[in-house]
C-alpha cells in the first residue's frame, strides 16, 4: 500500500464513522426535519466513501454508482421534505 492509499482508506473510515453518527440522528431524531437532514448527510457520506473506494481500487465504474446514488439521495431528500411540508399544511 502506498501513502496515498493509506490516506484515502483513513478518510473513507472517517466518513463511515460520520455516517454512523448520522444514522444515530436518524434513529433518535428529535424532529422529522432533523431526521431528513441526517438522512441526506448519511447519503452524502456514503457517496464520498464510494468515490474514495473507487480511487483506492482504481475502478472508475464505481463512480457511476456514486453518481446514481447521489441523484437518488437528492431526490429522496426532496421527496421527504415535500412530504413533511405537505403533511404540516394539511394538519393545520
Amino acid at each position: 500500500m502506498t501513502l496515498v492509499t493509506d490516506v484515502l482508506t483513513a478518510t473513507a473510515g472517517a466518513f463511515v464513522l460520520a455516517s454512523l453518527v448520522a444514522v444515530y440522528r436518524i434513529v433518535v431524531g428529535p424532529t422529522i426535519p432533523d431526521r431528513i437532514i441526517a438522512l441526506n448527510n448519511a447519503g452524502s457520506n456514503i457517496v464520498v466513501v464510494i468515490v474514495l473506494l473507487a480511487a483506492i481500487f482504481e475502478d472508475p465504474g464505481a463512480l457511476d454508482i456514486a453518481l446514481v446514488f447521489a441523484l437518488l439521495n437528492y431526490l429522496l431528500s426532496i421527496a421527504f421534505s415535500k412530504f413533511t411540508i405537505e403533511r404540516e399544511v394539511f394538519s393545520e
Side-chain angles (χ1 to χ4, degrees), residues 55-80:
I56 291 170
F57 295 114
E58 298 176 359
D59 183 15
L63 296 176
D64 295 334
I65 296 170
L67 181 63
V68 170
F69 193 82
L71 290 172
L72 289 175
N73 183 35
Y74 172 74
L75 291 175
L76 183 70
S77 298
I78 297 296
F80 278 142

